[in-house]
Amino acid sequence: MRETTQGGIDDWEGVMGGSQFGAPGSFTPPPAAGDAGSNFLSGVIAGPADAEAAKQVSTGGSNLKALAEGGKFAVNEEGFQAYIKACDFFIDGYDKMIRDVRVLAGAAQMGGSTYAKAVAQFNATVADGDPEALIPNLLLMRRGVEDAREAMVIARKNYRETEDAHTVAFTALNKNLQGQ
């Protein structure tokens, strides 16, 4: 994963690196586009201005967590670190984003004309005036990112358990071969 000089995520390349879908101990190629991981990432990239993308992030994060909890998603340390970095990038910036958007939610004093009042009301509505507004979308996205972060912790544990099982199996196989 590369970062911009401003510290933002410039490229999601490598985020999926080191991840494994399927039961621990097996390798199943990642599902095609439309899976939980792809939905999650494409929703994050689309951003909070798109209500559908915010729902996609929330659902995608929840789906990743369910896959990990069910033992159907594992990630190695390298993949884990990349995912955690991306999740933390969003979560760390969330508080500032929500504060900034909440300022917009209060109708600004833009003058007494009908037009000025209409613009101030429009800004407030876009920020927090309905379920399609920025604040509800940011809340949905945060929930999805938090779920995805939890999924990564579980998926790393799944991967480690798989590695441990392979080590035990190879050790037993090695003993059998040495005993012959």
Side-chain angles (χ1 to χ4, degrees), residues 90-148:
F90 178 83
I91 293 168
D92 291 346
Y94 172 81
D95 290 335
K96 182 181 178 343
M97 280 188 286
I98 202 73
R99 276 193 309 274
D100 291 348
V101 175
R102 286 197 192 283
V103 168
L104 294 175
Q109 300 300 317
M110 299 180 70
S113 72
T114 304
Y115 177 75
K117 290 178 183 177
V119 169
Q121 184 55 49
F122 174 79
N123 288 343
T125 301
V126 167
D128 196 21
D130 61 42
E132 304 283 318
L134 286 170
I135 290 174
N137 288 337
L138 283 169
L139 294 172
L140 269 176
M141 290 181 78
R142 180 179 175 104
R143 188 175 322 126
V145 172
E146 288 170 341
D147 282 347

Side-chain angles (χ1 to χ4, degrees), residues 23-104:
S26 70
F27 175 74
T28 305
D35 74 308
S38 294
N39 286 342
F40 171 73
L41 292 175
S42 63
V44 168
I45 292 167
D50 181 344
E52 220 26 66
K55 289 175 192 166
Q56 197 172 340
V57 170
S58 182
T59 301
S62 190
N63 289 343
L64 280 174
K65 187 175 176 184
L67 285 170
E69 288 173 336
K72 296 180 181 171
F73 177 52
V75 66
N76 69 10
E77 189 63 31
E78 181 183 3
F80 171 79
Q81 292 300 326
Y83 271 113
I84 291 300
K85 188 174 184 179
C87 291
D88 287 348
F89 172 77
F90 178 83
I91 293 168
D92 291 346
Y94 172 81
D95 290 335
K96 182 181 178 343
M97 280 188 286
I98 202 73
R99 276 193 309 274
D100 291 348
V101 175
R102 286 197 192 283
V103 168
L104 294 175

